[in-house]
Amino acid sequence: MTSTDSTSDATAPKTPVFTDFRRIVIKVGSALLVDREHGRVKLAWLTSLVEDIATLHGRGCEVMVVSSGAIALGRTVLGLPKGPLKLEDSQAAAAVGQITLSRTWAQILGHYGITAGQVLLTLGDTEERRRYLNARSTLGRLMDLKAVPIINENDTVATTEIRYGDNDRLAARVATMASADLLVLLSDIDGLYTAPPAQDPSATLIPVVPRIGAEIEAIAGDAGSELSRGGMRTKIEAGKIATSAGTHMVIASGHVKNPLKRIREGGRCTWFLTSANPVRARKSWIAGALEPRGTLHLDDGAVAALRRGASLLPAGVKRVEGLFDRGDAVVLRGPDGAEVGRGLVAYDSTHAARIMGRSTHEIETLLGVPGRSEMVHRDDMALGVE
C-alpha cells in the first residue's frame, strides 16, 4: 500500500490496493451509461467497463454490478418529455427500459464469455430478513456459478424508491448483504472535494477518508444532472452504510474509458476506509444487533461440527422453541443448555420442527417442496464471542 500524504507522516491514512479485493460491487449511474441526447446506451464506454470487469473476473474476483439506466432508456422509447416524470410514467419507462438495459449488459458480458444474471431489488428486499436471505442466497449462488449479477431497483413496482431512492444507497446495501469487501461508485465526479468544485475553483480532492464524520457530511453536495437521481450526499450516505458493515468504498470518475483500470493504476479518486471486515461486521450484527425469536437445541455432534466451521443441518437439531419466521435470529444451544451462538434460521418454526433430526434428503418428502440443506448456514451464524 502507498501513503496518500507525505511519507514523513507516519499516521497518514493508507490508500488500499485495488488488486487486494476479491468481492466487488460496482455502481454505474444513468448519466454515465445513457447518451442523454439520443437516449441510448453508450456502447463504447460500457464495453470498456466490461473489459475491466472481465479482467477482474479472470483473476478470480466475484463482481456484482448495480446499474441505473432503465428509466432513462425507457422514457426515450416511449417519447416522454424531459424533466421530472409522474410516478406512473417513471414506472412505465422502467418497464420498457429494463429490457434494453438487461439485454445490453448480457450481450457485452457474453462477448467476454461471462454470463449475466438479472436481479431486481427494492430497499425493502435488503431490510426485511426473509427477503434479505433470499436475495443474499441468489447473489451468492450466481457468483458460485461464475455469473455477474446485474442489479437494479425494481422501479416498475416501487414507489418511495423512485421518488426518493437512489442506486448509491442500494449498491451499499447490496455490498453489505453480499459481504463484499469493496464498493465502487462510478460517478460524474472523480471523488469528494473540500467544496463543490463547480462553485469553488480552489476546492481540492480528498484522496482518503478514514472515517465519515460530521465534517465530511457537511461538504456533501446535491444531485448534479437530470439523469442522475443521486448526488454527493447520497454517496456519503452510501459510504456510511458500507463502511459500518466492513466494506471499503471508492468514488471515482466514470467519464473515462476503462474506469476500473484507472483506479487500479492510481487515478484520482476518494477512498472511504473501514476498520472492520465484512464477515466480522456481519457476524457482530447477528450476535448483538438482532433480537432472537426462538431457540434451536443441538446435539453434541452438531456443536462440534459448528466449531469446525460447518453449517447447521436439520439432523443436528433436537428441539425447537419459540415462534419464528425464516430469516429471524435464533439462539443455538448445546445439550447442556449453554449458548453456542446465534444465527439467521432458514426455516420458520413450524417447518423447522418438522424436519429437525432428519437427513437433508428427507426435506422434500417432509415439507412437500425442496428446501435448503442447512437449517442455519455458516455465513449466517455467529459462534461464541465473535
Side-chain angles (χ1 to χ4, degrees):
M1 295 186 179
T2 59
S3 173
T4 59
D5 294 313
S6 171
T7 54
S8 63
D9 184 356
T11 64
K14 304 292 184 178
T15 302
V17 177
F18 189 81
T19 52
D20 286 347
F21 298 102
R22 289 294 175 264
R23 178 169 284 190
I24 301 172
V25 174
I26 302 160
K27 183 264 179 178
V28 180
S30 295
L32 299 176
L33 190 64
V34 178
D35 182 323
R36 180 171 184 171
E37 182 178 353
H38 300 99
R40 61 192 180 201
V41 174
K42 299 176 182 177
L43 290 176
W45 180 84
L46 182 57
T47 300
S48 80
L49 173 60
V50 172
E51 182 180 348
D52 287 348
I53 292 172
T55 298
L56 292 172
H57 210 253
R59 292 175 178 167
C61 293
E62 297 173 324
V63 179
M64 293 160 277
V65 177
V66 175
S67 176
S68 303
I71 293 175
L73 291 169
R75 69 187 299 161
T76 300
V77 175
L78 295 173
L80 296 171
K82 294 182 179 181
L85 295 175
K86 296 179 181 179
L87 176 60
E88 57 269 29
D89 287 342
S90 292
Q91 292 173 321
V96 172
Q98 190 62 46
I99 295 173
T100 299
L101 185 66
S102 299
R103 182 176 63 242
T104 302
W105 275 105
Q107 288 175 342
I108 299 179
L109 283 165
H111 289 320
Y112 290 86
I114 301 173
T115 299
Q118 182 187 47
V119 180
L120 297 178
L121 299 173
T122 65
L123 291 178
D125 294 317
T126 64
E127 291 176 341
E128 197 277 312
R129 283 198 292 276
R130 177 188 290 264
R131 292 154 64 188
Y132 166 98
L133 282 182
N134 287 334
R136 176 181 166 87
S137 177
T138 299
L139 292 173
R141 188 57 182 149
L142 283 169
M143 288 183 289
D144 288 343
L145 296 170
K146 309 304 180 185
V148 171
I150 306 299
I151 303 154
N152 195 7
E153 281 188 311
N154 194 359
D155 287 335
T156 57
V157 298
T159 53
T160 301
E161 286 79 6
I162 286 180
R163 289 173 176 164
Y164 308 109
D166 60 90
N167 272 356
D168 292 326
R169 283 175 291 196
L170 179 64
R173 290 176 181 272
V174 167
T176 62
M177 178 172 64
S179 297
D181 47 10
L182 177 63
L183 169 62
V184 179
L185 299 184
L186 296 179
S187 175
D188 292 343
I189 193 169
D190 55 9
L192 177 66
Y193 283 74
T194 54
Q199 302 170 20
D200 185 352
S202 66
T204 58
L205 181 75
I206 303 172
V208 178
V209 175
R211 176 182 173 275
I212 299 175
E215 72 285 356
I216 295 297
E217 294 184 80
I219 63 177
D222 296 321
S225 74
E226 176 187 327
L227 290 182
S228 174
R229 288 177 294 164
M232 191 54 68
R233 182 170 299 281
T234 66
K235 290 172 174 54
I236 296 303
E237 291 173 0
K240 291 167 64 178
I241 294 168
T243 56
S244 66
T247 301
H248 288 290
M249 188 180 86
V250 61
I251 298 174
S253 174
H255 287 301
V256 293
K257 288 191 175 181
N258 301 104
L260 303 182
K261 180 181 179 183
R262 180 79 168 268
I263 299 170
R264 187 179 74 240
E265 293 178 346
R268 290 171 64 83
C269 60
T270 298
W271 287 91
F272 296 80
L273 308 184
T274 178
S275 59
N277 68 67
V279 173
R280 184 169 295 278
R282 175 175 167 77
K283 289 183 179 290
S284 296
W285 171 68
I286 292 171
L290 300 177
E291 183 69 25
R293 300 296 182 184
T295 301
L296 302 181
H297 293 268
L298 318 182
D299 62 23
D300 283 323
V303 172
L306 297 190
R307 288 175 174 158
R308 292 194 301 269
S311 298
L312 176 62
L313 304 180
V317 180
K318 294 306 178 187
R319 184 157 56 93
V320 174
E321 285 184 1
L323 296 175
F324 50 82
D325 292 323
R326 166 170 156 72
D328 282 344
V330 294
V331 176
L332 309 177
R333 296 191 182 278
D336 59 357
E339 181 173 330
V340 176
R342 300 186 180 196
L344 305 183
V345 67
Y347 290 91
D348 63 31
S349 52
T350 300
H351 288 164
R354 201 175 294 174
I355 65 174
M356 68 179 185
R358 310 298 286 268
S359 299
T360 54
H361 71 267
E362 298 180 88
I363 292 175
E364 184 170 2
T365 300
L366 292 167
L367 300 184
V369 293
R372 301 183 188 276
S373 300
E374 306 89 359
M375 186 83 80
V376 179
H377 193 279
R378 63 184 181 182
D379 289 346
D380 298 324
M381 186 187 307
L383 298 183
V385 180
E386 296 285 344

